[in-house]
Amino acid sequence: MQQNSVKYYPVGNGDQSLITLKDKTTILTDCNIRQGSKDGSDPAMFDVKKDLLQSIQTDGGVPFVDVFILTHGDKDHCRGFRDNFYRGDPTKYADKDRKAGLIRMDEMWFSPMVAVENTNEEETAHQEEAERRIDLHLKNDPQKDLPGNRIRIIGYDPENRDYSALAHLRYVPGSVVTLFNNKQQETFSVFIHSPFKEQLASADPDDKNTASIVFQARFKEYSFSTEFSNLFMFGGDADYIAWDVILQRTVRYENDVKQKALDWDIFLAPHHCSWTFFNESSNKDEVQDSSIEVLRYRRTGGKVIASSKVIIDNDDNPPCYKAKKEYLKHLDSGKDFLNTDTYPKESEPVPIVFVTTANGPVLSPTTVVKTASGAAGGAGAASTIIKQG
């Protein structure tokens, strides 16, 4: 039987993670699909698109992910969106789209709070597709619930947006989600942590990091279990301000289902191991108490993932060498801190993959997918699709 897995791609200073459930449901968080080496022979540039196509299902020859989540609109979280994901009426997906390996997003999770002002062409494309789907729902179009038209609104509306008519599509912080692409899950759920309105209010209008979607992916071994066997925390680029709000709000929950909402086995270091999780970038001498408290929710054997380029002792931020040292203080050993661009070695990185077990996440031996020739998308990649169901 297929196991649940969580895969973290080596994409430099950027994010792309894929959750795959036992029933083959796939949840893709962010994308950073870069141009591959021209001759396809550079082992240091992992072919993200090829691996993604091999990891997801097809529907009548159309590759698809069940859910696509954009945590926020910075380019290192949506690079390659325009060229690799299908946008528009799903009934018009054509042979040219199939040859290009365009991936259909059956359901999108969209935060209006990070769409106040588009800052790059990838984010604009994402928002246009989200608005297309929202418009179908506002008009009660008969095709609104087709795969490729589905959408969920995450968080609240900023002043220049009003989606109050779509309350049935909204998940706010504190929501526990068990329905993904119209499929009910009994042993998997997502706890929505953020964004809150006060996070957006405190942020620089040109910096969407504070208002990132933050969520906890939670797995049970059996549907009747009362305990979560595996907990993964996804923080986007949320900074210490956002985590302080999350911490204050979450500790107030009394419902048993929500009490473990801050616990984690795997913690994706926000903003590519940036110092902003701990304090202002300009203040590297003081660590916020709230940030340390978040790390103290680590469960036995917990690990931190830095989705970043190699971390060295210099002035870069992100990734920040001092931030790595701070994370290490809260781990059992250096082996519990994993860097996507150096796993298993810097010269030839491959995705970091965990499978879920009754005793928590376990690193899975990764099958290396050789780099495709030419770009990381296009017809060369499309030919590698493996039909899984």
Side-chain angles (χ1 to χ4, degrees):
M1 177 184 295
Q2 180 171 314
Q3 293 176 282
N4 300 310
S5 67
V6 181
K7 177 185 293 188
Y8 301 91
Y9 284 96
V11 291
N13 277 2
D15 270 341
Q16 180 166 318
S17 307
L18 181 69
I19 298 172
T20 304
L21 305 183
K22 290 180 179 178
D23 67 356
K24 301 180 183 178
T25 294
T26 50
I27 300 167
L28 182 65
T29 301
D30 294 328
C31 69
N32 193 11
I33 302 175
R34 303 170 293 177
Q35 181 82 3
S37 58
K38 289 184 179 179
D39 60 3
S41 62
D42 182 3
M45 179 71 77
F46 183 79
D47 196 327
V48 170
K49 176 67 177 296
K50 181 175 182 179
D51 183 89
L52 183 57
L53 286 171
Q54 291 187 330
S55 301
I56 62 179
Q57 298 185 81
T58 62
D59 174 20
V62 179
F64 71 93
V65 292
D66 287 274
V67 179
F68 178 76
I69 303 171
L70 179 65
T71 59
H72 65 294
D74 285 348
K75 195 165 186 176
D76 55 347
H77 290 253
C78 57
R79 182 177 283 109
F81 179 82
R82 292 181 305 163
D83 294 336
N84 294 286
F85 293 87
Y86 180 77
R87 293 170 286 134
D89 185 345
T91 65
K92 295 182 179 179
Y93 190 102
D95 284 342
K96 64 179 178 61
D97 304 314
R98 187 176 291 102
K99 290 177 181 178
L102 296 189
I103 298 169
R104 189 182 73 200
M105 302 165 288
D106 281 7
E107 177 177 299
M108 292 176 69
W109 284 20
F110 168 69
S111 170
M113 290 176 63
V114 298
V116 176
E117 181 179 348
N118 294 339
T119 56
N120 62 76
E121 65 279 6
E122 304 281 17
E123 182 185 16
T124 297
H126 179 272
Q127 176 150 343
E128 287 174 350
E129 174 60 13
E131 294 283 359
R132 182 193 70 81
R133 298 181 184 212
I134 285 172
D135 192 51
L136 292 178
H137 286 269
L138 287 172
K139 295 178 178 177
N140 199 26
D141 190 288
Q143 293 190 323
K144 68 184 188 301
D145 291 318
L146 286 178
N149 285 336
R150 296 168 183 159
I151 192 163
R152 295 288 181 175
I153 297 171
I154 309 299
Y156 303 94
D157 301 335
E159 292 183 0
N160 64 338
R161 296 283 193 281
D162 181 9
Y163 302 127
S164 55
L166 300 176
H168 61 292
L169 298 177
R170 189 185 302 271
Y171 295 131
V172 297
S175 298
V176 176
V177 184
T178 58
L179 187 69
F180 303 90
N181 195 20
N182 282 9
K183 291 183 285 188
Q184 188 70 39
Q185 297 294 331
E186 296 185 349
T187 59
F188 174 77
S189 60
V190 160
F191 182 96
I192 305 292
H193 272 297
S194 153
F196 289 102
K197 284 185 176 180
E198 54 263 51
Q199 291 170 335
L200 186 63
S202 64
D204 181 330
D206 295 325
D207 182 0
K208 298 181 173 65
N209 293 345
T210 304
S212 290
I213 294 176
V214 177
F215 67 92
Q216 178 200 53
R218 31 172 63 177
F219 297 83
K220 292 181 179 181
E221 196 63 19
Y222 306 103
S223 59
F224 54 80
S225 299
T226 58
E227 295 294 328
F228 300 111
S229 55
N230 300 260
L231 295 171
F232 295 77
M233 194 71 78
F234 292 82
D237 283 358
D239 58 17
Y240 76 94
I241 297 171
W243 284 98
D244 185 41
V245 174
I246 288 169
L247 186 67
Q248 292 179 44
R249 293 298 190 100
T250 308
V251 295
R252 299 176 190 172
Y253 295 128
E254 297 179 356
N255 187 299
D256 288 343
V257 176
K258 300 179 179 180
Q259 282 183 346
K260 302 294 184 181
L262 285 168
D263 287 2
W264 55 271
D265 296 302
I266 307 296
F267 188 85
L268 183 59
H271 198 197
H272 328 300
C273 196
S274 166
W275 184 253
T276 56
F277 173 71
F278 295 103
N279 207 330
E280 299 286 350
S281 292
S282 60
N283 183 356
K284 294 186 180 178
D285 296 322
E286 181 181 349
V287 177
Q288 294 288 332
D289 291 341
S290 55
S291 301
I292 298 304
E293 187 171 351
V294 170
L295 295 181
R296 286 176 180 159
Y297 279 89
R298 171 184 178 265
R299 303 206 299 188
T300 302
K303 294 175 172 55
V304 169
I305 308 294
S307 183
S308 72
K309 64 183 182 180
V310 60
I311 304 170
I312 58 178
D313 190 358
N314 59 16
D315 294 329
D316 286 356
N317 184 37
C320 176
Y321 182 74
K322 189 168 183 177
K324 175 182 176 179
K325 290 176 64 177
E326 193 63 42
Y327 282 119
L328 287 171
K329 293 177 184 178
H330 303 275
L331 301 173
D332 293 337
S333 74
K335 293 181 179 180
D336 291 330
F337 184 95
L338 301 173
N339 181 188
T340 52
D341 264 25
T342 63
Y343 180 84
K345 56 184 179 179
E346 185 179 352
S347 61
E348 196 169 356
V350 299
I352 299 172
V353 181
F354 290 93
V355 295
T356 65
T357 75
N359 298 314
V362 174
L363 273 169
S364 171
T366 305
T367 301
V368 178
V369 177
K370 295 193 179 298
T371 308
S373 60
S383 65
T384 67
I385 298 173
I386 294 176
K387 187 170 182 178
Q388 300 180 358

